[in-house]
Amino acid sequence: MIGPIVFLALALQAASSDAAQHLQAGVEADRQHHFDTAIAEFQKATELDPRLAAGFLNLGQAYMESHNYGAAIAPLKQAVELKPELLPAHQLLGYALLAQGFAAEAIPHLERAQERGALGIAQLEVGKLPEAVANLQAALAKQPNDQDLLYYFGRATGLLSKQTIDTLLAAYPDSPRAHQALAENYFVLRQMPQAEREYRAALQIRPDIPGLHLELGEVYAAAAQWEKAEEEFRAETKLQPGNAEAAYRLGTALLQQGKVHEARADLVRADRLQPQMPETLYSLGKAASLEGDDSAAQKAWTTVIGLEKDSNLAAQSHFGLANLYRKQGKISEADREMQEFRRLQPEGQN
């Protein structure tokens, strides 16, 4: 929020002596968060000097600080009319208008003030989705942990994605990309038969689209149909031999079927293509352990714990290490790892 003290010196130079006294009294009341008193003083200052832009600006801000955004609009409009170059007045007026639901009216003021976060929210409200995404992303670059910006950016990107997909479905309803988009929606909704049908339709039209076999394989994996999942993941690795995720997915499908040696080879390849991925390393440790390679298993699971610390993968790695150490007769190390495993388990699962 803009502090009224910033404009006090300039305003006092231009104001009549009586108006200046009330303006200064309003600033002092505002500093002490006595907003009702501040509002009364600023009102008196603007009555005594109707050309005092800073008085109207401070009056509008005091209303906003007391959460009376509707009352703030009129004095802020007056401040902008008196002094169009007064950017803080545009900024606060944009905020006030947006808070009252006048998003379209807020936009030019927020643009003038270069207030990109609020501008993005206003553009989202009026359906200017590409512009909203761009401005919210720029605001997030400066305030990456702002929960409001994160929410609105997620909402804007989601709506823009839906709008784009709706355009695709309307313009090219029988295209492979339309079938793929529908399949992805069905997958999110856990409607696996419908997702499978749409992926198959897309593959029938264009079997060489990168990613299709991978996504269909995930449908089968979600249904624990591991042979079918393996077939699709293997097809994807042939299309994209440099795709680390495809190699990882193939390795996990093979591991689920007990094809440990073959699984380990694909997991090693996935790790080589994209090193330090916790999911790959965890599965690689599991495969190494099943093959009796305790050293490799220990190294993989220890790396996962170093990368993840408190995740479920870290918990499972602690569990794997506990079993490994117990098998080796290292009881104290096994107990330590089991304690860490229990610590990371969700409440009610210990």
Side-chain angles (χ1 to χ4, degrees):
M1 188 70 73
I2 305 299
I5 191 64
V6 174
F7 306 101
L8 181 60
L10 181 62
L12 291 176
Q13 292 174 13
S16 67
S17 59
D18 289 341
Q21 289 179 2
H22 287 287
L23 187 62
Q24 190 163 13
V27 169
E28 292 302 322
D30 186 273
R31 278 184 178 141
Q32 299 173 37
H33 295 172
H34 298 158
F35 298 127
D36 289 343
T37 302
I39 287 168
E41 294 293 343
F42 292 140
Q43 282 178 329
K44 189 64 177 176
T46 57
E47 289 168 5
L48 291 169
D49 191 345
R51 302 296 300 172
L52 188 60
F56 288 103
L57 169 61
N58 290 333
L59 176 57
Q61 176 169 318
Y63 275 126
M64 292 185 71
E65 288 173 324
S66 63
H67 303 287
N68 192 346
Y69 301 109
I73 292 174
L76 291 170
K77 283 186 174 180
Q78 186 66 22
V80 166
E81 184 176 336
L82 288 169
K83 201 167 187 180
E85 71 275 14
L86 194 57
L87 294 184
H90 286 283
Q91 180 187 32
L92 293 180
L93 179 55
Y95 286 156
L97 289 167
L98 182 58
Q100 291 288 287
F102 300 107
E105 192 177 348
I107 287 175
H109 298 289
L110 295 170
E111 286 177 332
R112 183 80 176 266
Q114 297 184 5
E115 184 57 43
R116 300 191 73 174
L119 175 59
I121 295 169
Q123 290 167 330
L124 171 62
E125 294 301 318
V126 301
K128 295 183 176 181
L129 298 179
E131 297 91 338
V133 168
N135 280 307
L136 288 166
Q137 188 171 30
L140 270 172
K142 296 181 178 179
Q143 298 173 268
N145 296 317
D146 186 289
Q147 59 180 313
D148 291 324
L149 290 175
L150 287 167
Y151 166 77
Y152 282 111
F153 181 66
R155 183 178 166 198
T157 53
L159 288 172
L160 181 58
S161 175
K162 183 181 183 302
Q163 185 183 82
T164 305
I165 294 301
D166 287 345
T167 301
L168 168 66
L169 295 175
Y172 308 101
D174 295 321
S175 68
R177 292 300 189 185
H179 286 294
Q180 183 180 15
L182 287 171
E184 289 170 355
N185 287 338
Y186 282 130
F187 182 80
V188 170
L189 296 171
R190 313 308 291 174
Q191 297 178 13
M192 299 307 177
Q194 296 91 329
E196 179 187 8
R197 182 189 67 226
E198 295 297 336
Y199 279 127
R200 286 293 179 196
L203 284 166
Q204 188 172 6
I205 301 169
R206 278 183 61 188
D208 60 344
I209 292 182
L212 275 180
H213 287 286
L214 179 62
E215 292 176 18
L216 179 55
E218 291 181 30
V219 171
Y220 290 132
Q225 298 181 43
W226 294 110
E227 288 187 10
K228 289 184 176 181
E230 176 193 343
E231 180 181 351
E232 298 303 325
F233 293 143
R234 195 177 298 282
E236 191 67 42
T237 61
K238 290 180 179 177
L239 280 174
Q240 297 193 84
N243 187 319
E245 184 180 1
Y248 160 71
R249 296 290 181 186
L250 176 57
T252 56
L254 291 164
L255 198 57
Q256 287 289 338
Q257 297 174 80
K259 301 176 181 179
V260 179
H261 185 72
E262 191 178 354
R264 190 176 178 186
D266 282 296
L267 291 166
V268 167
R269 187 163 62 87
D271 184 54
R272 186 171 62 250
L273 289 168
Q274 191 170 351
Q276 299 295 91
M277 292 301 294
E279 295 85 354
T280 301
L281 289 166
Y282 171 74
S283 295
L284 191 53
K286 188 175 178 180
S289 178
L290 289 170
E291 283 204 308
D293 190 344
D294 292 350
S295 177
Q298 180 181 351
K299 180 181 177 182
W301 286 332
T302 301
T303 305
V304 171
I305 293 166
L307 292 170
E308 293 279 296
K309 308 268 186 225
D310 297 324
S311 70
N312 182 59
L313 277 177
Q316 295 303 316
S317 295
H318 282 297
F319 186 78
L321 286 170
N323 288 332
L324 186 151
Y325 289 139
R326 187 167 287 109
K327 183 180 69 172
Q328 295 174 344
K330 299 176 180 179
I331 304 304
S332 61
E333 290 90 338
D335 289 344
R336 182 193 65 217
E337 296 297 335
M338 186 58 69
Q339 185 177 356
E340 287 298 303
F341 166 71
R342 293 194 180 105
R343 181 182 66 83
L344 294 174
Q345 286 295 286
E347 188 174 346
Q349 294 186 22
N350 290 329

